[in-house]
Amino acid sequence: MKPSQKKAPAEHRALLSHISIRWRLILYFAMFVALLLVLLWLFQIVFLESFYKSIKTNSIKNTATSIVDSINDENFYSELNRLTRQDVICVHIINEDGDTIYSSGNQSSCILHMLAPGQVRGLYQKAAAGDRTVLQNYELRELGPGFQRKNSIQTATMEQMLYGVLVTRESGETIMVMVDATISPINTTVETLRAQLVLITFVMAGFSLFLVFVLSSVIAKPLIRINESAKQLATGDYETHFEGGGFREVTELADTLNYASRELSKVEHLRQEFISNVSHDLRTPLTMITGYAEVMRDLPDENTPENVQIIIDEAKRLTTLVNDILNLSRLQSGAQTPDFEPFNLTRVLRRILDRYAKMILHEGYTVELEASEEAVVLADEVRMTQVLYNLINNAINYTGEDKKVLVRQTVHGSRVRVDVIDHGEGIAPENLPYIWDRYYKEDKAHKRSTVGSGLGLSIVKGVLEAHHAAYGVESVLGAGSDFWFELDLLEEEPDEE
């Protein structure tokens, strides 16, 4: 296939994509009206005569069938007379010699009264040689000299249809039932219909133009308004409002876009807040590192192990912050998947709390563990350790004046639940649905400890969802918060290496 042939459909689609919905509606509606008018002209003018003759032929055949079905009835002749009067037809019963046994109907244009005996015998023989039926059309102006013309002026343009059926009577005699009907000229009818269709064409064209402009306005205007609002939204104007109206789908589209606009506004606000918080968290340790390094450079007496340790601690804070940001990004992108292995969750909890006891003892904090039995789970030990550290860090950051954090492990059937409880100020009910969201911080002026980066709950959410674990938070204002998660238990404890 040539390249130009491949590009043609694409160019055609590109051209159509630049046509507005209003003009497309006008084009499609115009095509529909044109097709409708063409069909009307075809069926009412071009094929009218064919339809009329087809219907007339079926009518004559049905009448002949009714006569044949009642040929042996004792009331046959009275039924025959009724049919000829009802349908305005002529009926002749003919024997094989062409002689008329019985006739009913005496229309002046009836072809049966004009046929010569020889012609009648010819029709009989034609039916006998074929499928026992014969159908013949006549135009009176084409009749040969053997016909008996009657009222030739009136019938000069008349067309006659003759249908004959051979039937065998109970006596064994074979006769032909011949039915004759006049096909009335429809030239006048066609001319009348043609004049009406011309008028209908102009009326429909005018009405269609009016209707299509009204419909295009009703359909297109709300979409045009939504498109303009969408362009404003694309520039970062999240205050724009999408107006619906016209149709249910357009109203639902406007509502959906308004919801998307509000959510984008929230994300933008949280993104800016996140950048501000991260910038602050990065600036603080960098300032301390720079300050202590300059002091140690300018004052030889300040070059002490204590100052070096401060620089090391602040560098670790920077490393922790950067690692948490990277971990959060990997979790949300799905690049980081859990490495499932069986491990003793209770022992991990004890090990973590032992480390906290040494780190925060001098600040007056206490972290207690309640665990009634050993719990073995199938999970990623490194990631679940990260979850526990972040939940405990969060509890320490927000704990109350008692500076106590309780970690409780309970077993319920085939599941183990871990609760990390603090006695701080708690979380407002309206903020609970957003507490796990990225960038979100419920208390913007909280005291942050030396451990943690401020992204802990987002990381917790990502790790737990990757494990398909249940999790949540229960909080009461003034009474503290309870962050919890649940994992499936393993029946057997893993072997110690």
Side-chain angles (χ1 to χ4, degrees), residues 73-250:
D73 294 348
E74 58 181 16
N75 298 324
F76 169 69
Y77 293 111
S78 59
E79 179 66 17
L80 183 60
N81 292 331
R82 185 190 67 80
L83 286 174
T84 55
R85 288 193 303 270
Q86 174 181 300
D87 297 335
V88 192
I89 58 175
C90 286
V91 177
H92 285 202
I93 307 298
I94 307 297
N95 61 19
E96 59 182 349
D97 296 328
D99 297 330
T100 301
I101 300 174
Y102 182 82
S103 67
S104 179
N106 191 25
Q107 285 73 34
S108 58
S109 60
C110 181
I111 196 68
L112 288 172
H113 297 290
M114 304 177 186
L115 291 175
Q119 291 174 313
V120 174
R121 283 194 301 273
L123 292 173
Y124 187 101
Q125 294 169 359
K126 184 177 181 180
D131 60 352
R132 299 176 65 85
T133 64
V134 62
L135 178 65
Q136 192 75 32
N137 288 354
Y138 299 94
E139 289 188 12
L140 296 186
R141 64 175 178 269
E142 296 178 355
L143 294 178
F147 290 102
Q148 304 172 8
R149 295 182 178 272
K150 294 185 179 181
N151 200 3
S152 59
I153 296 177
Q154 292 182 358
T155 61
T157 59
M158 302 293 283
E159 185 174 353
Q160 300 294 121
M161 181 177 293
L162 180 62
Y163 181 71
V165 182
L166 291 178
V167 58
T168 302
R169 306 185 72 170
E170 290 180 346
S171 61
E173 179 187 11
T174 300
I175 59 174
M176 174 180 278
V177 176
M178 305 185 72
V179 182
D180 171 43
T182 301
I183 299 179
S184 302
I186 59 173
N187 294 337
T188 304
T189 304
V190 171
E191 291 297 328
T192 303
L193 290 175
R194 183 179 289 113
Q196 289 181 344
L197 283 176
V198 170
L199 179 61
I200 290 173
T201 301
F202 284 108
V203 171
M204 287 188 65
F207 177 73
S208 299
L209 286 174
F210 170 76
L211 183 61
V212 74
F213 276 106
V214 172
L215 289 177
S216 64
S217 297
V218 172
I219 296 174
K221 278 187 176 180
L223 293 178
I224 292 173
R225 290 197 302 266
I226 289 177
N227 183 46
E228 294 300 324
S229 299
K231 291 179 181 177
Q232 295 179 13
L233 179 63
T235 63
D237 181 9
Y238 300 113
E239 299 299 323
T240 185
H241 180 71
F242 293 88
E243 295 183 9
F247 300 93
R248 177 174 59 85
E249 290 81 2
V250 175

Side-chain angles (χ1 to χ4, degrees), residues 108-398:
S108 58
S109 60
C110 181
I111 196 68
L112 288 172
H113 297 290
M114 304 177 186
L115 291 175
Q119 291 174 313
V120 174
R121 283 194 301 273
L123 292 173
Y124 187 101
Q125 294 169 359
K126 184 177 181 180
D131 60 352
R132 299 176 65 85
T133 64
V134 62
L135 178 65
Q136 192 75 32
N137 288 354
Y138 299 94
E139 289 188 12
L140 296 186
R141 64 175 178 269
E142 296 178 355
L143 294 178
F147 290 102
Q148 304 172 8
R149 295 182 178 272
K150 294 185 179 181
N151 200 3
S152 59
I153 296 177
Q154 292 182 358
T155 61
T157 59
M158 302 293 283
E159 185 174 353
Q160 300 294 121
M161 181 177 293
L162 180 62
Y163 181 71
V165 182
L166 291 178
V167 58
T168 302
R169 306 185 72 170
E170 290 180 346
S171 61
E173 179 187 11
T174 300
I175 59 174
M176 174 180 278
V177 176
M178 305 185 72
V179 182
D180 171 43
T182 301
I183 299 179
S184 302
I186 59 173
N187 294 337
T188 304
T189 304
V190 171
E191 291 297 328
T192 303
L193 290 175
R194 183 179 289 113
Q196 289 181 344
L197 283 176
V198 170
L199 179 61
I200 290 173
T201 301
F202 284 108
V203 171
M204 287 188 65
F207 177 73
S208 299
L209 286 174
F210 170 76
L211 183 61
V212 74
F213 276 106
V214 172
L215 289 177
S216 64
S217 297
V218 172
I219 296 174
K221 278 187 176 180
L223 293 178
I224 292 173
R225 290 197 302 266
I226 289 177
N227 183 46
E228 294 300 324
S229 299
K231 291 179 181 177
Q232 295 179 13
L233 179 63
T235 63
D237 181 9
Y238 300 113
E239 299 299 323
T240 185
H241 180 71
F242 293 88
E243 295 183 9
F247 300 93
R248 177 174 59 85
E249 290 81 2
V250 175
T251 302
E252 290 178 354
L253 175 61
D255 293 341
T256 302
L257 290 173
N258 283 324
Y259 173 77
S261 177
R262 291 192 298 271
E263 293 303 309
L264 287 173
S265 178
K266 292 178 183 178
V267 171
E268 177 63 19
H269 175 72
L270 294 174
R271 184 188 66 83
Q272 294 175 357
E273 183 180 322
F274 170 75
I275 293 174
S276 175
N277 291 334
V278 171
S279 299
H280 176 270
D281 291 339
L282 289 172
R283 186 169 56 249
T284 301
L286 285 173
T287 301
M288 294 186 69
I289 291 172
T290 303
Y292 275 89
E294 289 177 349
V295 168
M296 293 170 64
R297 181 197 62 188
D298 298 336
L299 302 174
D301 295 340
E302 294 296 328
N303 192 358
T304 63
E306 290 79 8
N307 290 342
V308 173
Q309 187 61 46
I310 291 175
I311 293 175
I312 293 172
D313 291 341
E314 294 303 319
K316 288 182 178 179
R317 282 187 62 186
L318 285 175
T319 303
T320 300
L321 177 62
V322 172
N323 287 338
D324 282 351
I325 294 174
L326 290 175
N327 287 334
L328 180 60
S329 177
R330 289 170 184 158
L331 285 168
Q332 293 182 337
S333 66
Q336 192 175 76
T337 56
D339 183 14
F340 290 94
E341 291 182 354
F343 70 92
N344 190 312
L345 179 63
T346 311
R347 291 176 186 171
V348 171
L349 282 170
R350 291 195 186 102
R351 186 168 63 245
I352 291 173
L353 266 60
D354 287 342
R355 293 175 183 174
Y356 270 101
K358 298 176 181 178
M359 292 172 57
I360 62 177
L361 181 62
H362 64 283
E363 296 184 11
Y365 291 94
T366 58
V367 182
E368 298 179 358
L369 173 63
E370 289 183 3
S372 59
E373 56 184 291
E374 301 293 313
V376 179
V377 297
L378 181 65
D380 189 323
E381 182 175 354
V382 175
R383 300 304 166 201
M384 293 309 301
T385 301
Q386 189 178 24
V387 167
L388 293 169
Y389 269 117
N390 280 315
L391 289 179
I392 295 172
N393 287 344
N394 182 74
I396 292 173
N397 288 339
Y398 290 97

Side-chain angles (χ1 to χ4, degrees), residues 374-425:
E374 301 293 313
V376 179
V377 297
L378 181 65
D380 189 323
E381 182 175 354
V382 175
R383 300 304 166 201
M384 293 309 301
T385 301
Q386 189 178 24
V387 167
L388 293 169
Y389 269 117
N390 280 315
L391 289 179
I392 295 172
N393 287 344
N394 182 74
I396 292 173
N397 288 339
Y398 290 97
T399 192
E401 296 180 358
D402 60 358
K403 293 187 177 183
K404 290 183 179 181
V405 174
L406 175 63
V407 180
R408 179 189 296 140
Q409 175 199 286
T410 53
V411 175
H412 304 280
S414 62
R415 297 179 69 83
V416 58
R417 171 168 170 149
V418 176
D419 295 80
V420 180
I421 304 169
D422 66 73
H423 302 99
E425 296 182 359

